Amino acid sequence: MGCDGGTIPKRDELVKTKKRPEQKDKAAHQTFRWQHCALSQAPLQQPVVACEMGRIYNKDCIIEALLNKSSNDESNAPPAIISHIKSLKDVKALNLTENTSWTDESQKGDGYNDNNKAQWNCPISGQEMNGNFRFVFLWTCGCVFSEKSQKEITVNECLKCQKPFTLADVIVLNPIEEEEIELLKSKMETRRTKVKDAKKVKKTSKNETQVSLLPSSTITSANITEVVAPGPSSKLKESKIKSKNSGVTSADSSSLGKRPARLEKLETSDPKVSKISGSYSVAKDPKASTTYKSLFTSSETASTQQRAHWVTYNPFYN
């Protein structure tokens, strides 16, 4: 039977029990989450971003994952942890405050490693982001504070950058409880719904503005007259531009070609305006000298001469 020689067996030697799974150290796991990227598990390095679910990432890892997603390769499918991130608009760059007492030294196996030291801390209370304290960030500006300091703020303005915010913009970093995760998810869906509605309203108002400005815009762009300085080619060049919205009737198009009576009165009263009109001619201008008139082919001397004009080249005489 054994057990002779005065040995005393223990219960675990005689009875085989089911081994319990090893439980991870909650403190070590929480510290790891605050010091490493949630996607690549690499140490956090600036620039650092956070999503609407409160998870912290390295920005370069997010960009790489989005680029792999756009390649339409099944092998490069994004992980489920970032399934809610469609573009860089779904993450916010964190405005972190450096901890002056933190030193970037590699951990050694034979030395004491203080895990309570963190690279960043709260700019108000000085609490370090080591997992022992709850931290939040504002979606409007990305500034990070401890939850205790944020609750003591009585104004709805960020104490670091003075940007306004609401309670819906406050997001808890690295949430643990399921209730907090569900609350952040509902906030995310509400925020994205508001953004879509705002885009629809803006697009509708823009279309309404274009429709209201349609008559004036088509009239002004229907006929454009280009006036050339008086000379041998003193003519009015009319170019009609087709409007994108073809809603001008035949009555409107016929009225566009008529000259208003006010413009005709202005041409007769003001000599400067009459010079740019289509009926103006230098040869008929009583104020123009004979020498000035001889410079143009419309003058009497130019029409009766037998050789080419000395200023302009006219192939009629050559």
Side-chain angles (χ1 to χ4, degrees):
M1 295 293 296
C3 295
D4 52 350
T7 59
I8 301 176
K10 297 180 181 179
R11 185 178 183 278
D12 57 351
E13 295 176 354
L14 299 176
V15 180
K16 293 183 179 180
T17 58
K18 186 177 180 180
K19 293 184 179 180
R20 295 180 181 179
E22 295 183 3
Q23 295 182 357
K24 57 185 177 182
D25 188 359
K26 293 183 179 180
H29 176 67
Q30 189 69 3
T31 303
F32 182 87
R33 293 180 65 191
W34 285 92
Q35 296 179 356
H36 295 78
C37 173
L39 177 60
S40 63
Q41 309 302 321
L44 290 174
Q45 294 178 354
Q46 291 281 19
V48 179
V49 297
C51 65
E52 294 171 289
M53 298 299 294
R55 303 187 185 101
I56 307 175
Y57 314 90
N58 287 328
K59 188 175 182 179
D60 54 352
C61 297
I62 293 294
I63 295 175
E64 184 179 356
L66 292 176
L67 291 176
N68 293 335
K69 181 181 178 180
S70 61
S71 62
N72 296 328
D73 190 358
E74 295 181 357
S75 61
N76 293 330
I81 195 173
I82 60 169
S83 59
H84 61 287
I85 300 177
K86 308 300 181 182
S87 65
L88 288 178
K89 293 182 180 180
D90 297 332
V91 295
K92 179 67 68 173
L94 296 182
N95 187 8
L96 299 168
T97 304
E98 294 288 340
N99 185 9
T100 55
S101 62
W102 184 79
T103 56
D104 188 8
E105 295 180 356
S106 59
Q107 296 184 357
K108 298 180 181 180
D110 56 349
Y112 173 72
N113 299 322
D114 189 4
N115 294 325
N116 292 326
K117 288 291 182 182
Q119 186 176 357
W120 302 288
N121 61 359
C122 175
I124 300 175
S125 63
Q127 293 177 341
E128 299 183 3
M129 293 176 55
N130 51 15
N132 296 332
F133 307 100
R134 290 167 57 89
F135 274 75
V136 297
F137 79 97
L138 306 179
W139 184 255
T140 54
C141 58
C143 295
V144 181
F145 306 95
S146 62
E147 189 180 39
K148 181 180 178 181
S149 301
Q150 190 274 329
K151 288 182 178 179
E152 293 178 356
I153 298 175
T154 56
V155 294
N156 292 332
E157 289 185 358
C158 176
L159 297 181
K160 195 172 183 180
C161 62
Q162 284 74 46
K163 287 186 178 181
F165 69 92
T166 59
L167 292 178
D169 298 325
V170 179
I171 300 177
V172 180
L173 288 172
N174 287 328
I176 301 176
E177 300 179 1
E178 291 295 332
E179 295 180 357
E180 292 181 346
I181 296 175
E182 291 297 329
L183 179 60
L184 291 177
K185 188 175 181 180
S186 62
K187 284 184 178 181
M188 178 182 66
E189 294 175 353
T190 304
R191 190 181 297 109
R192 293 186 178 183
T193 303
K194 288 182 179 180
V195 172
K196 289 182 180 180
D197 294 341
K199 287 183 179 180
K200 289 181 181 179
V201 172
K202 186 177 179 181
K203 187 176 181 180
T204 305
S205 61
K206 186 177 180 180
N207 293 336
E208 291 177 354
T209 305
Q210 291 179 354
V211 171
S212 62
L213 295 177
L214 180 60
S216 60
S217 62
T218 52
I219 290 174
T220 55
S221 62
N223 286 343
I224 298 178
T225 57
E226 183 181 354
V227 181
V228 185
S233 60
S234 176
K235 295 181 180 180
L236 289 175
K237 298 181 180 180
E238 296 184 358
S239 58
K240 293 186 178 181
I241 300 176
K242 293 183 179 180
S243 176
K244 294 182 179 179
N245 300 320
S246 56
V248 182
T249 60
S250 59
D252 295 335
S253 61
S254 62
S255 62
L256 291 176
K258 296 181 180 179
R259 297 169 61 83
R262 185 178 180 183
L263 182 59
E264 293 179 355
K265 292 181 181 179
L266 188 61
E267 290 179 358
T268 56
S269 61
D270 193 351
K272 293 183 179 180
V273 177
S274 63
K275 286 185 178 182
I276 65 174
S277 63
S279 61
Y280 176 76
S281 177
V282 180
K284 297 179 182 179
D285 191 357
K287 295 184 179 181
S289 62
T290 307
T291 306
Y292 179 69
K293 292 180 180 179
S294 63
L295 297 176
F296 304 96
T297 56
S298 60
S299 64
E300 295 180 0
T301 57
S303 60
T304 57
Q305 67 179 355
Q306 299 299 325
R307 58 182 181 177
H309 199 273
W310 68 279
V311 174
T312 61
Y313 173 74
N314 194 339
F316 177 74
Y317 300 102
N318 293 333

